[in-house]
């Protein structure tokens, strides 16, 4: 250890009371984290790339400092989806410090890792007060039935008004309009359920029909329009 001459010439003043790290909540325990292995928790981070043309939601399940599970969801950039595939291979098995300093290729994924790191080291995780945390597989539970990300895509212009393209229920096939041409409901197809039905043995037409549904006052509609064509 090299000290400057100014420091060497100082007199020694002993430190007073020092209690160490403040405890943070981790999986229903209060932990004074001093090392990477002291960190456990399940949480999420959201990031964006420099031109802000895409975003990433990153979910990690960390046990004793080691990433056991990673869910990477991306939106808005085709290159990012391929980077997400690499991140899903890279992240499990790393410590959270290694992951923070790993090139995950895409700026949005790197930013999501940074935001997640801040949450997890400050005890702001989803599992902070869950005894023993969340089991490995919690990331898949976030996706729900059909194991698909929940995506909302809507579009609108001043000249032609709004279009709902995809919502939590699924892919919007028809918008229901009233006599004032205002949206009062919609029909949709849940692609996750549809694929499960097909894999279960149903033919495509039957699976499509079974995975279809509607929301709102579709029965009261004056007309239905295809939001991608009309």
């Amino acid at each position: 250890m090299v000290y400057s001459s100014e420091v060497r010439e100082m007199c020694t003043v002993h430190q007073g009371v020092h209690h160490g790290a403040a405890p943070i909540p981790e999986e229903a325990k209060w932990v004074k984290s001093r090392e990477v292995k002291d960190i456990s928790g399940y949480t999420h981070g959201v990031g964006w790339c420099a031109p802000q043309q895409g975003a990433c939601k990153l979910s990690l399940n960390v046990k004793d400092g080691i990433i056991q599970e990673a869910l990477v969801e991306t939106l808005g950039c085709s290159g990012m989806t391929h980077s997400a595939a690499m991140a899903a291979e890279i992240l499990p098995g790393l410590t959270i410090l290694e992951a923070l300093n790993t090139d995950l290729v895409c700026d949005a994924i790197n930013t999501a890792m940074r935001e997640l790191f801040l949450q997890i080291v400050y005890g702001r995780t989803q599992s902070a007060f869950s005894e023993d945390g969340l089991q490995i597989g919690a990331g898949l539970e976030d996706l729900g039935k059909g194991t698909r990300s929940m995506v909302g895509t809507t579009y609108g212009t001043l000249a032609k008004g709004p279009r709902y393209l995809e919502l939590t229920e699924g892919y919007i096939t028809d918008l229901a309009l009233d006599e004032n041409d205002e949206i009062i409901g919609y029909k949709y197809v849940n692609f996750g359920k549809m694929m499960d039905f097909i894999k279960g043995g149903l033919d495509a037409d039957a699976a499509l029909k079974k995975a279809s549904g509607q929301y709102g006052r579709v029965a009261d509609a004056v007309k239905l329009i295809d939001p991608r064509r009309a």
Side-chain angles (χ1 to χ4, degrees):
M1 194 76 70
V2 178
Y3 294 93
S4 68
S5 58
E6 290 84 0
V7 173
R8 289 198 304 270
E9 292 171 4
M10 290 178 180
C11 64
T12 301
V13 177
H14 290 285
Q15 288 181 298
V17 176
H18 180 56
H19 297 293
I24 60 174
E26 290 185 20
E27 301 188 340
K29 299 184 294 289
W30 289 96
V31 178
K32 288 189 174 185
S33 60
R34 297 182 176 87
E35 302 177 40
V36 170
K37 65 181 179 61
D38 296 328
I39 298 295
S40 294
Y42 177 82
T43 197
H44 319 276
V46 174
W48 54 95
C49 60
Q52 299 192 24
Q53 71 187 58
C56 168
K57 175 193 166 193
L58 177 63
S59 304
L60 297 183
N61 203 344
V62 179
K63 303 291 186 184
D64 300 322
I66 305 295
I67 297 169
Q68 301 293 333
E69 175 185 22
L71 170 64
V72 192
E73 300 174 84
T74 60
L75 175 70
C77 172
S78 58
M80 192 192 305
T81 61
H82 294 84
S83 298
M86 295 176 65
E89 290 192 57
I90 292 169
L91 288 171
L94 300 183
T95 69
I96 55 170
L97 188 58
E98 288 175 315
L100 185 67
N101 290 288
T102 296
D103 183 8
L104 299 174
V105 184
C106 169
D107 281 349
I109 303 175
N110 283 318
T111 304
M113 183 64 226
R114 180 194 71 197
E115 297 300 310
L116 186 152
F117 182 87
L118 291 174
Q119 290 182 53
I120 206 165
V121 297
Y122 284 119
R124 303 297 193 270
T125 66
Q126 180 178 324
S127 59
F129 299 102
S130 300
E131 190 170 354
D132 296 326
L134 300 183
Q135 64 180 357
I136 310 305
L140 291 179
E141 292 177 6
D142 273 2
L143 297 178
K145 294 180 179 179
T147 320
R148 277 177 60 90
S149 297
M150 288 181 283
V151 178
T153 306
T154 61
Y155 176 75
T157 61
L158 180 60
K160 297 298 183 178
R163 300 292 190 276
Y164 300 170
L165 303 175
E166 188 151 353
L167 297 175
T168 301
E169 294 90 347
Y171 177 96
I172 307 302
T173 58
D174 296 277
L175 291 180
L177 306 183
D178 65 10
E179 63 275 5
N180 298 317
D181 287 333
E182 294 180 358
I183 299 171
I184 58 173
Y186 49 82
K187 293 184 176 182
Y188 62 86
V189 176
N190 187 310
F191 281 142
K193 291 182 179 180
M194 178 178 168
M195 292 306 299
D196 284 343
F197 293 145
I198 291 174
K199 286 185 283 188
L202 276 182
D203 66 71
D205 288 341
L208 175 63
K209 185 176 181 180
K210 191 172 181 180
S212 297
Q214 61 185 47
Y215 178 84
R217 296 187 292 117
V218 176
D220 298 332
V222 172
K223 61 181 175 181
L224 298 174
I225 66 167
D226 181 340
R228 291 169 177 79
R229 297 182 180 275

